Amino acid sequence: AAAFIAQPSFAASSPARTLLNENRLDEGAAVCRQFEVLSTIDVDNFVACAWIYLRTDRMDGAERFVEKIRKSTLAASELSLLNAYGDIKRKRYEQARLSLNRLMDELRGQPLGPVAQELSAELYEAVGQADTAAFIYKQVATDDPSRARAHWGLGRYYLSRGDIGRAKTHLQQAARLWPRHIGSRYNLAVVLLQANEVDEAAKLLGQCYKINKADPGVLEQLGVVLEKRGNVAEAVKFWRKAISVSPDSSVAKEKLASYGTGAIDALIDQGQYDQALTQLNSLGKKVATEPAFQLRRAIIFRYQQKSDQALPILTKYIQSTPKDPVAHRELGICHTNLKKWDKAAVNFKQAIDLDPTNGLNHAWLAYIFEVRKKWPEARAQWASAVKLLSDSADLARARRRLASVESKMGGKSVEKEREPEPEREEPAKEENQAPERGMWESAPPSGAQVPQ
């Protein structure tokens, strides 16, 4: 929102005008609701309320104030500016351009001249011509350094261009001129955090938080400040609150996923499944339904011998993340525990197709072939598992199973003494793929290690 200069005949201290000039639009809207019911004409407050309502997308209310203003001749120029801005809001860009070009000529050198220029810059921003908008904002700020709207526009422009130094200068000016403006303080805080100026960023974000305790961006960045200070527990609280306000808060989701999955994985590694489930549930419903957490929920259920509960979660997860070999193997283990051998075989084959270098995938498919007494297929898969497994316990079990299958076949061992293999590059992980972790390599008997 812009700060506007009243015409000389208007009272500079009128409440709606003051709130408009300081860009306190939410407070201004509350005040303007009182002016809506006035039967007398209060031109300056009505003009200011029309601006406030337009800038907060209360189009019908703005039009009612405009109708009242038309009854007075005191605000003819500002009424023209309001109409031009209304055209911008309604995306009547060509009509707005013609009006503003005329108004910039008519109002040059007058108090409302900079307003016409700023609105012209906003028009160019709206149609994607950011460079032209910045050129106009620069003219306004050079002629009158007290124009907060011009500094705010330039701050955002330089920020989008990666020019942090100039962005910081103009954002600081906007924040100084607009003492309760969240946007300028928030963006300035982000710039300062990038420069690792944590204390100054924290001060600005604290000011934002006092103004609005439910702004998701502010909550996210306060969490980042606490994270940088080493207070992750408190940071998590702010990220959770950001998610509760706005489920699409990307920073909060990323941070909670990072810290949340790490804590849950550690508990699963230790066999503390109830505690892992409690930790997962504590993240809140919106976060806990993210795919990475749903995969872990399914794994916890499967470790708790609740394969029937893990099954639908894994099925749904694979629908959204079909190239995750861990999920296919986990689904196969669930089907194995439920004695659904054919479905399990399909799952393990899919896991092998996606990650043929993981010995566990071959070991589990070998186990299914054993159950179905398909000895040659079982021997081939156990042989592959022996070549690929690195965990000593898993490797020992795989060798025993291979020897057992070969004895049933009455044949000779197919395992040759393993020679050191050259280092090979690990296959690239899918972006949404859960990482291979020790917890899946060293699970209890019902887990994802080589079947007994």
PDB file of all heavy atoms in Angstrom, residues 164 168 188-198 201 228:
ATOM      1  N   ILE A 164      21.298  -7.137  -2.966  1.00  0.00           N
ATOM      2  CA  ILE A 164      20.952  -7.102  -1.543  1.00  0.00           C
ATOM      3  C   ILE A 164      21.278  -5.757  -0.910  1.00  0.00           C
ATOM      4  O   ILE A 164      20.521  -5.246  -0.070  1.00  0.00           O
ATOM      5  CB  ILE A 164      21.679  -8.238  -0.785  1.00  0.00           C
ATOM      6  CG1 ILE A 164      21.293  -9.604  -1.389  1.00  0.00           C
ATOM      7  CG2 ILE A 164      21.337  -8.196   0.691  1.00  0.00           C
ATOM      8  CD1 ILE A 164      19.815  -9.893  -1.393  1.00  0.00           C
ATOM      9  N   LYS A 168      18.418  -3.550   0.778  1.00  0.00           N
ATOM     10  CA  LYS A 168      18.460  -3.275   2.213  1.00  0.00           C
ATOM     11  C   LYS A 168      18.258  -1.793   2.496  1.00  0.00           C
ATOM     12  O   LYS A 168      17.502  -1.405   3.398  1.00  0.00           O
ATOM     13  CB  LYS A 168      19.805  -3.748   2.777  1.00  0.00           C
ATOM     14  CG  LYS A 168      19.975  -3.560   4.274  1.00  0.00           C
ATOM     15  CD  LYS A 168      21.321  -4.118   4.712  1.00  0.00           C
ATOM     16  CE  LYS A 168      21.573  -3.854   6.191  1.00  0.00           C
ATOM     17  NZ  LYS A 168      22.902  -4.371   6.614  1.00  0.00           N
ATOM     18  N   LEU A 188      13.235  -7.136   5.051  1.00  0.00           N
ATOM     19  CA  LEU A 188      14.524  -6.685   5.566  1.00  0.00           C
ATOM     20  C   LEU A 188      15.117  -7.733   6.500  1.00  0.00           C
ATOM     21  O   LEU A 188      16.329  -8.000   6.469  1.00  0.00           O
ATOM     22  CB  LEU A 188      14.347  -5.350   6.288  1.00  0.00           C
ATOM     23  CG  LEU A 188      15.610  -4.691   6.847  1.00  0.00           C
ATOM     24  CD1 LEU A 188      16.655  -4.492   5.758  1.00  0.00           C
ATOM     25  CD2 LEU A 188      15.243  -3.345   7.486  1.00  0.00           C
ATOM     26  N   ALA A 189      14.279  -8.357   7.306  1.00  0.00           N
ATOM     27  CA  ALA A 189      14.770  -9.406   8.211  1.00  0.00           C
ATOM     28  C   ALA A 189      15.330 -10.588   7.434  1.00  0.00           C
ATOM     29  O   ALA A 189      16.370 -11.156   7.798  1.00  0.00           O
ATOM     30  CB  ALA A 189      13.637  -9.867   9.129  1.00  0.00           C
ATOM     31  N   VAL A 190      14.668 -10.957   6.331  1.00  0.00           N
ATOM     32  CA  VAL A 190      15.163 -12.065   5.506  1.00  0.00           C
ATOM     33  C   VAL A 190      16.533 -11.725   4.928  1.00  0.00           C
ATOM     34  O   VAL A 190      17.445 -12.561   4.905  1.00  0.00           O
ATOM     35  CB  VAL A 190      14.154 -12.389   4.388  1.00  0.00           C
ATOM     36  CG1 VAL A 190      14.749 -13.386   3.396  1.00  0.00           C
ATOM     37  CG2 VAL A 190      12.862 -12.942   4.974  1.00  0.00           C
ATOM     38  N   VAL A 191      16.681 -10.478   4.467  1.00  0.00           N
ATOM     39  CA  VAL A 191      17.976 -10.025   3.942  1.00  0.00           C
ATOM     40  C   VAL A 191      19.042 -10.116   5.031  1.00  0.00           C
ATOM     41  O   VAL A 191      20.162 -10.595   4.794  1.00  0.00           O
ATOM     42  CB  VAL A 191      17.861  -8.575   3.410  1.00  0.00           C
ATOM     43  CG1 VAL A 191      19.244  -7.996   3.135  1.00  0.00           C
ATOM     44  CG2 VAL A 191      17.015  -8.536   2.149  1.00  0.00           C
ATOM     45  N   LEU A 192      18.715  -9.673   6.226  1.00  0.00           N
ATOM     46  CA  LEU A 192      19.678  -9.695   7.325  1.00  0.00           C
ATOM     47  C   LEU A 192      20.030 -11.119   7.726  1.00  0.00           C
ATOM     48  O   LEU A 192      21.191 -11.413   8.055  1.00  0.00           O
ATOM     49  CB  LEU A 192      19.109  -8.933   8.524  1.00  0.00           C
ATOM     50  CG  LEU A 192      18.953  -7.417   8.330  1.00  0.00           C
ATOM     51  CD1 LEU A 192      18.166  -6.804   9.476  1.00  0.00           C
ATOM     52  CD2 LEU A 192      20.328  -6.747   8.224  1.00  0.00           C
ATOM     53  N   LEU A 193      19.062 -12.014   7.698  1.00  0.00           N
ATOM     54  CA  LEU A 193      19.359 -13.417   8.019  1.00  0.00           C
ATOM     55  C   LEU A 193      20.307 -14.026   7.001  1.00  0.00           C
ATOM     56  O   LEU A 193      21.189 -14.817   7.356  1.00  0.00           O
ATOM     57  CB  LEU A 193      18.062 -14.228   8.074  1.00  0.00           C
ATOM     58  CG  LEU A 193      17.223 -14.097   9.350  1.00  0.00           C
ATOM     59  CD1 LEU A 193      15.899 -14.827   9.199  1.00  0.00           C
ATOM     60  CD2 LEU A 193      17.988 -14.637  10.552  1.00  0.00           C
ATOM     61  N   GLN A 194      20.132 -13.648   5.728  1.00  0.00           N
ATOM     62  CA  GLN A 194      21.049 -14.143   4.702  1.00  0.00           C
ATOM     63  C   GLN A 194      22.473 -13.663   4.950  1.00  0.00           C
ATOM     64  O   GLN A 194      23.436 -14.353   4.610  1.00  0.00           O
ATOM     65  CB  GLN A 194      20.566 -13.702   3.318  1.00  0.00           C
ATOM     66  CG  GLN A 194      19.279 -14.379   2.871  1.00  0.00           C
ATOM     67  CD  GLN A 194      18.751 -13.824   1.560  1.00  0.00           C
ATOM     68  OE1 GLN A 194      19.238 -12.816   1.040  1.00  0.00           O
ATOM     69  NE2 GLN A 194      17.733 -14.473   1.002  1.00  0.00           N
ATOM     70  N   ALA A 195      22.577 -12.467   5.538  1.00  0.00           N
ATOM     71  CA  ALA A 195      23.894 -11.923   5.873  1.00  0.00           C
ATOM     72  C   ALA A 195      24.347 -12.350   7.263  1.00  0.00           C
ATOM     73  O   ALA A 195      25.373 -11.880   7.757  1.00  0.00           O
ATOM     74  CB  ALA A 195      23.851 -10.394   5.795  1.00  0.00           C
ATOM     75  N   ASN A 196      23.571 -13.248   7.892  1.00  0.00           N
ATOM     76  CA  ASN A 196      23.856 -13.763   9.229  1.00  0.00           C
ATOM     77  C   ASN A 196      23.849 -12.671  10.303  1.00  0.00           C
ATOM     78  O   ASN A 196      24.500 -12.806  11.336  1.00  0.00           O
ATOM     79  CB  ASN A 196      25.195 -14.518   9.256  1.00  0.00           C
ATOM     80  CG  ASN A 196      25.182 -15.657  10.268  1.00  0.00           C
ATOM     81  OD1 ASN A 196      24.124 -16.241  10.529  1.00  0.00           O
ATOM     82  ND2 ASN A 196      26.324 -15.950  10.843  1.00  0.00           N
ATOM     83  N   GLU A 197      23.091 -11.595  10.062  1.00  0.00           N
ATOM     84  CA  GLU A 197      22.913 -10.554  11.079  1.00  0.00           C
ATOM     85  C   GLU A 197      21.661 -10.923  11.879  1.00  0.00           C
ATOM     86  O   GLU A 197      20.600 -10.317  11.764  1.00  0.00           O
ATOM     87  CB  GLU A 197      22.776  -9.186  10.412  1.00  0.00           C
ATOM     88  CG  GLU A 197      24.032  -8.776   9.639  1.00  0.00           C
ATOM     89  CD  GLU A 197      23.876  -7.410   8.973  1.00  0.00           C
ATOM     90  OE1 GLU A 197      23.318  -6.500   9.612  1.00  0.00           O
ATOM     91  OE2 GLU A 197      24.321  -7.270   7.820  1.00  0.00           O
ATOM     92  N   VAL A 198      21.827 -11.938  12.722  1.00  0.00           N
ATOM     93  CA  VAL A 198      20.686 -12.587  13.370  1.00  0.00           C
ATOM     94  C   VAL A 198      19.993 -11.661  14.362  1.00  0.00           C
ATOM     95  O   VAL A 198      18.759 -11.605  14.417  1.00  0.00           O
ATOM     96  CB  VAL A 198      21.137 -13.890  14.066  1.00  0.00           C
ATOM     97  CG1 VAL A 198      19.959 -14.556  14.772  1.00  0.00           C
ATOM     98  CG2 VAL A 198      21.757 -14.844  13.052  1.00  0.00           C
ATOM     99  N   ALA A 201      17.859  -9.043  12.636  1.00  0.00           N
ATOM    100  CA  ALA A 201      16.708  -9.708  12.020  1.00  0.00           C
ATOM    101  C   ALA A 201      15.678 -10.075  13.085  1.00  0.00           C
ATOM    102  O   ALA A 201      14.469  -9.901  12.887  1.00  0.00           O
ATOM    103  CB  ALA A 201      17.159 -10.957  11.267  1.00  0.00           C
ATOM    104  N   LYS A 228      19.051 -20.707  14.211  1.00  0.00           N
ATOM    105  CA  LYS A 228      20.412 -20.189  14.114  1.00  0.00           C
ATOM    106  C   LYS A 228      21.030 -19.969  15.494  1.00  0.00           C
ATOM    107  O   LYS A 228      22.251 -20.036  15.650  1.00  0.00           O
ATOM    108  CB  LYS A 228      20.420 -18.878  13.318  1.00  0.00           C
ATOM    109  CG  LYS A 228      20.235 -19.064  11.804  1.00  0.00           C
ATOM    110  CD  LYS A 228      20.282 -17.746  11.078  1.00  0.00           C
ATOM    111  CE  LYS A 228      20.235 -17.929   9.565  1.00  0.00           C
ATOM    112  NZ  LYS A 228      21.466 -18.545   9.032  1.00  0.00           N
TER     113      LYS A 228
END
